[in-house]
Amino acid sequence: MTNDWDWEDPAGLEALTNEFMQGRTVVEKLEVVAEGPVFRRDDLAAHGITGIEFAAFKTSHPTGLGTDLMGLQAGDTLTERGRIYRVDGECFFIELDICEPLPFEDASVEWVYAEHLIEHVSMKTAVGWLAEVRRILAPGGLFRVTTPDLRKYAEAYVNGGAFFAKHRGRVQKALGGVAPPMPARGAFMLNQIFYLYGHRWIFDFDELKHALARAGFDPGEVRACAFRDGARPDVAQLDLMIRNDETLYVEATA
C-alpha cells in the first residue's frame, strides 16, 4: 500500500494513476506498418483492420486498432503520432488525442468502441470527438460507448442499497492492495465519480443521447444495452467485467 494515496486528493491521485499507467506502456516490440497523416479505408483494410478501440494499448479485437493519448515504448523506440504500429506481433496501435481531428478518412471503419473514456473530457470536447467518430464510421457502422452511469450513483446515494459497498470492493480488488479501502461515506462515493480519475463530465442515458445527437447521430438509432450484449457480439465482448456494476452501455448506428 502506498503512503501517498489519499482518496480525498484528486490531483494527487491523478498523478499516481498516471505513474501507474506509464508502467503499462512498455512492450517488447514495435513495428511501423503504416504512416499518415491521414489513413484511408484501404490502408486499414490492408492490415485487416475494420474498427477502432479507443483507450486501449492492446485491443483484444482481432481486427481492431487500439488507440491512446499515451504512447508505447519498446526499448529506445517510442511511438510517434501519424504512424500505425504492430505491437508485439499481436495487435495494432496508434497514438492520438481525441481533442483533435481523427487521422482517418470519412467512412473508413465499420465499428468504434470506447470504454470509460468520454467522461474524461468536457462536454464540448466530447461532442467534437463523437462527431469525428460518426464521420469515420461507414454507413450503418456501429459505435459502442460505455461510461459510469450517473443514475446508478444518484439512486444509491438517495436510496441506499448494496451498490456502493459492492463497487468499493471491486475497486479494492482492481487496485490489488496498492491503495487503502475507499471511504464508505455516501457523499464521498457520489463526489469521487465526478472528481477522481481525471473525470470531467458524468452521463446518464439521456445526457449521452443528447451528446450523440449534437454530434450528428440520429437519436432514434441510440439505444441502451447490457453488459456484453449488443448489435455486434464481437464488439460487445470488449466490455470489461471489472466495470460492469457501474457502467452505462450505449450503442448508436451511423
PDB file of all heavy atoms in Angstrom, residues 40-52:
ATOM      1  N   ARG A  40      -6.526   5.938 -45.005  1.00  0.00           N
ATOM      2  CA  ARG A  40      -7.694   5.615 -45.807  1.00  0.00           C
ATOM      3  C   ARG A  40      -8.234   4.245 -45.411  1.00  0.00           C
ATOM      4  O   ARG A  40      -7.557   3.454 -44.769  1.00  0.00           O
ATOM      5  CB  ARG A  40      -7.324   5.638 -47.291  1.00  0.00           C
ATOM      6  CG  ARG A  40      -6.847   6.991 -47.801  1.00  0.00           C
ATOM      7  CD  ARG A  40      -6.383   6.895 -49.249  1.00  0.00           C
ATOM      8  NE  ARG A  40      -5.247   5.994 -49.383  1.00  0.00           N
ATOM      9  CZ  ARG A  40      -5.244   4.900 -50.123  1.00  0.00           C
ATOM     10  NH1 ARG A  40      -6.347   4.564 -50.815  1.00  0.00           N
ATOM     11  NH2 ARG A  40      -4.183   4.132 -50.202  1.00  0.00           N
ATOM     12  N   ARG A  41      -9.472   3.977 -45.813  1.00  0.00           N
ATOM     13  CA  ARG A  41     -10.066   2.670 -45.543  1.00  0.00           C
ATOM     14  C   ARG A  41      -9.183   1.544 -46.092  1.00  0.00           C
ATOM     15  O   ARG A  41      -8.982   0.516 -45.451  1.00  0.00           O
ATOM     16  CB  ARG A  41     -11.463   2.597 -46.166  1.00  0.00           C
ATOM     17  CG  ARG A  41     -12.234   1.315 -45.843  1.00  0.00           C
ATOM     18  CD  ARG A  41     -13.588   1.287 -46.538  1.00  0.00           C
ATOM     19  NE  ARG A  41     -14.341   0.087 -46.203  1.00  0.00           N
ATOM     20  CZ  ARG A  41     -15.206   0.006 -45.210  1.00  0.00           C
ATOM     21  NH1 ARG A  41     -15.449   1.066 -44.456  1.00  0.00           N
ATOM     22  NH2 ARG A  41     -15.852  -1.122 -44.970  1.00  0.00           N
ATOM     23  N   ASP A  42      -8.614   1.767 -47.307  1.00  0.00           N
ATOM     24  CA  ASP A  42      -7.755   0.749 -47.910  1.00  0.00           C
ATOM     25  C   ASP A  42      -6.488   0.534 -47.100  1.00  0.00           C
ATOM     26  O   ASP A  42      -5.975  -0.597 -47.034  1.00  0.00           O
ATOM     27  CB  ASP A  42      -7.398   1.140 -49.342  1.00  0.00           C
ATOM     28  CG  ASP A  42      -8.591   1.050 -50.290  1.00  0.00           C
ATOM     29  OD1 ASP A  42      -9.609   0.454 -49.899  1.00  0.00           O
ATOM     30  OD2 ASP A  42      -8.491   1.589 -51.407  1.00  0.00           O
ATOM     31  N   ASP A  43      -5.941   1.615 -46.493  1.00  0.00           N
ATOM     32  CA  ASP A  43      -4.746   1.482 -45.662  1.00  0.00           C
ATOM     33  C   ASP A  43      -5.021   0.549 -44.479  1.00  0.00           C
ATOM     34  O   ASP A  43      -4.182  -0.291 -44.122  1.00  0.00           O
ATOM     35  CB  ASP A  43      -4.304   2.843 -45.112  1.00  0.00           C
ATOM     36  CG  ASP A  43      -3.927   3.827 -46.203  1.00  0.00           C
ATOM     37  OD1 ASP A  43      -3.420   3.371 -47.249  1.00  0.00           O
ATOM     38  OD2 ASP A  43      -4.130   5.029 -46.002  1.00  0.00           O
ATOM     39  N   LEU A  44      -6.198   0.724 -43.877  1.00  0.00           N
ATOM     40  CA  LEU A  44      -6.566  -0.096 -42.728  1.00  0.00           C
ATOM     41  C   LEU A  44      -6.876  -1.525 -43.164  1.00  0.00           C
ATOM     42  O   LEU A  44      -6.431  -2.493 -42.535  1.00  0.00           O
ATOM     43  CB  LEU A  44      -7.766   0.519 -42.015  1.00  0.00           C
ATOM     44  CG  LEU A  44      -7.583   1.956 -41.515  1.00  0.00           C
ATOM     45  CD1 LEU A  44      -8.875   2.474 -40.895  1.00  0.00           C
ATOM     46  CD2 LEU A  44      -6.446   2.035 -40.493  1.00  0.00           C
ATOM     47  N   ALA A  45      -7.632  -1.668 -44.247  1.00  0.00           N
ATOM     48  CA  ALA A  45      -8.016  -2.991 -44.725  1.00  0.00           C
ATOM     49  C   ALA A  45      -6.804  -3.833 -45.106  1.00  0.00           C
ATOM     50  O   ALA A  45      -6.825  -5.062 -44.973  1.00  0.00           O
ATOM     51  CB  ALA A  45      -8.965  -2.863 -45.916  1.00  0.00           C
ATOM     52  N   ALA A  46      -5.742  -3.183 -45.567  1.00  0.00           N
ATOM     53  CA  ALA A  46      -4.531  -3.913 -45.940  1.00  0.00           C
ATOM     54  C   ALA A  46      -3.941  -4.688 -44.773  1.00  0.00           C
ATOM     55  O   ALA A  46      -3.215  -5.668 -44.969  1.00  0.00           O
ATOM     56  CB  ALA A  46      -3.495  -2.932 -46.503  1.00  0.00           C
ATOM     57  N   HIS A  47      -4.256  -4.253 -43.566  1.00  0.00           N
ATOM     58  CA  HIS A  47      -3.762  -4.938 -42.367  1.00  0.00           C
ATOM     59  C   HIS A  47      -4.886  -5.658 -41.618  1.00  0.00           C
ATOM     60  O   HIS A  47      -4.697  -6.087 -40.477  1.00  0.00           O
ATOM     61  CB  HIS A  47      -3.079  -3.933 -41.445  1.00  0.00           C
ATOM     62  CG  HIS A  47      -1.896  -3.262 -42.076  1.00  0.00           C
ATOM     63  ND1 HIS A  47      -0.696  -3.904 -42.274  1.00  0.00           N
ATOM     64  CD2 HIS A  47      -1.752  -2.016 -42.589  1.00  0.00           C
ATOM     65  CE1 HIS A  47       0.153  -3.079 -42.871  1.00  0.00           C
ATOM     66  NE2 HIS A  47      -0.461  -1.925 -43.075  1.00  0.00           N
ATOM     67  N   GLY A  48      -6.033  -5.764 -42.276  1.00  0.00           N
ATOM     68  CA  GLY A  48      -7.148  -6.470 -41.661  1.00  0.00           C
ATOM     69  C   GLY A  48      -7.861  -5.682 -40.590  1.00  0.00           C
ATOM     70  O   GLY A  48      -8.629  -6.243 -39.808  1.00  0.00           O
ATOM     71  N   ILE A  49      -7.642  -4.361 -40.550  1.00  0.00           N
ATOM     72  CA  ILE A  49      -8.262  -3.515 -39.524  1.00  0.00           C
ATOM     73  C   ILE A  49      -9.635  -3.062 -39.999  1.00  0.00           C
ATOM     74  O   ILE A  49      -9.769  -2.452 -41.063  1.00  0.00           O
ATOM     75  CB  ILE A  49      -7.382  -2.289 -39.216  1.00  0.00           C
ATOM     76  CG1 ILE A  49      -6.049  -2.730 -38.607  1.00  0.00           C
ATOM     77  CG2 ILE A  49      -8.103  -1.325 -38.277  1.00  0.00           C
ATOM     78  CD1 ILE A  49      -5.024  -1.611 -38.487  1.00  0.00           C
ATOM     79  N   THR A  50     -10.659  -3.350 -39.190  1.00  0.00           N
ATOM     80  CA  THR A  50     -12.027  -2.957 -39.547  1.00  0.00           C
ATOM     81  C   THR A  50     -12.632  -1.956 -38.569  1.00  0.00           C
ATOM     82  O   THR A  50     -13.666  -1.360 -38.864  1.00  0.00           O
ATOM     83  CB  THR A  50     -12.952  -4.180 -39.595  1.00  0.00           C
ATOM     84  OG1 THR A  50     -13.060  -4.752 -38.276  1.00  0.00           O
ATOM     85  CG2 THR A  50     -12.432  -5.230 -40.565  1.00  0.00           C
ATOM     86  N   GLY A  51     -12.019  -1.780 -37.398  1.00  0.00           N
ATOM     87  CA  GLY A  51     -12.584  -0.887 -36.392  1.00  0.00           C
ATOM     88  C   GLY A  51     -11.537  -0.373 -35.443  1.00  0.00           C
ATOM     89  O   GLY A  51     -10.361  -0.762 -35.506  1.00  0.00           O
ATOM     90  N   ILE A  52     -11.964   0.515 -34.540  1.00  0.00           N
ATOM     91  CA  ILE A  52     -11.053   1.196 -33.619  1.00  0.00           C
ATOM     92  C   ILE A  52     -11.546   1.042 -32.195  1.00  0.00           C
ATOM     93  O   ILE A  52     -12.735   1.256 -31.915  1.00  0.00           O
ATOM     94  CB  ILE A  52     -10.942   2.697 -33.968  1.00  0.00           C
ATOM     95  CG1 ILE A  52     -10.371   2.875 -35.377  1.00  0.00           C
ATOM     96  CG2 ILE A  52     -10.081   3.431 -32.943  1.00  0.00           C
ATOM     97  CD1 ILE A  52     -10.417   4.305 -35.872  1.00  0.00           C
TER      98      ILE A  52
END
